[in-house]
Amino acid sequence: HDVTITWEGDVPPLLPPDGSYEGIFLRATEARFMGSQQKIYLWFRLTWPLAVLNEVVFKAYNKPARHKRAISSHFYRDWVLANGGSPKRGDRMSTRVFKGKIFKLRLRTVATNARQEQLAPEQQYSVIDRLIGVTEHHP
């Protein structure tokens, strides 16, 4: 008796080496993984260097609880970077500010799981560690 599992979603690639890349914002998604806190995922298609052209990677953020925002949060800092300034209304921060922009970003390899146990090379993948700046705007 065999069991078949249906996998939905993107499988992130492993893109050595860690370092600086450029990518255009594609979309935002929300998910809860294994009962953990709600997460926001921002997905980017890499545009530079040519060796990784069109690979898709993400940056994950903890979604703040209602009325629990902090200017030190990663999402707030990246939103301000994409917007070019602080929000006019702190209660509304749409991911729309990322659309049509190419970002300089830093990738890192995920090599351990949540319990800091080493992952096998086949299980490792790349994620966006940090958005560094906006390099271009596209209509």
Side-chain angles (χ1 to χ4, degrees):
H1 177 69
D2 291 329
V3 175
T4 301
I5 303 296
T6 302
W7 180 266
E8 292 185 27
D10 295 313
V11 176
L14 175 59
L15 301 171
D18 292 0
S20 295
Y21 295 81
E22 287 185 2
I24 190 166
F25 175 77
L26 293 177
R27 68 187 179 279
T29 58
E30 292 183 65
R32 185 179 305 273
F33 183 72
M34 297 180 65
S36 67
Q37 180 178 0
Q38 187 80 12
K39 300 274 189 184
I40 298 169
Y41 295 89
L42 299 185
W43 296 86
F44 295 81
R45 181 175 308 284
L46 297 178
T47 59
W48 182 88
L50 289 176
V52 296
L53 191 64
N54 293 323
E55 293 283 2
V56 176
V57 292
F58 67 86
K59 178 148 178 44
Y61 304 88
N62 290 327
K63 184 175 181 182
R66 187 168 168 82
H67 305 297
K68 301 278 186 185
R69 289 171 294 283
I71 61 172
S72 62
S73 76
H74 290 255
F75 183 78
Y76 181 87
R77 286 186 290 175
D78 289 348
W79 191 95
V80 168
L81 181 72
N83 190 53
S86 298
K88 304 253 185 293
R89 288 187 59 171
D91 63 331
R92 299 209 178 144
M93 295 173 64
S94 169
T95 57
R96 189 176 307 124
V97 301
F98 294 92
K99 287 186 179 178
K101 295 178 181 158
I102 295 178
F103 292 84
K104 185 171 184 181
L105 46 90
R106 182 169 318 284
L107 291 186
R108 72 173 167 85
T109 300
V110 176
T112 59
N113 65 17
R115 290 179 279 224
Q116 301 305 308
E117 299 164 336
Q118 187 68 33
L119 296 174
E122 301 80 20
Q123 298 168 321
Q124 296 177 15
Y125 57 96
S126 297
V127 295
I128 298 170
D129 189 50
R130 184 172 154 232
L131 296 183
I132 299 168
V134 178
T135 62
E136 258 182 82
H137 299 264
H138 285 267

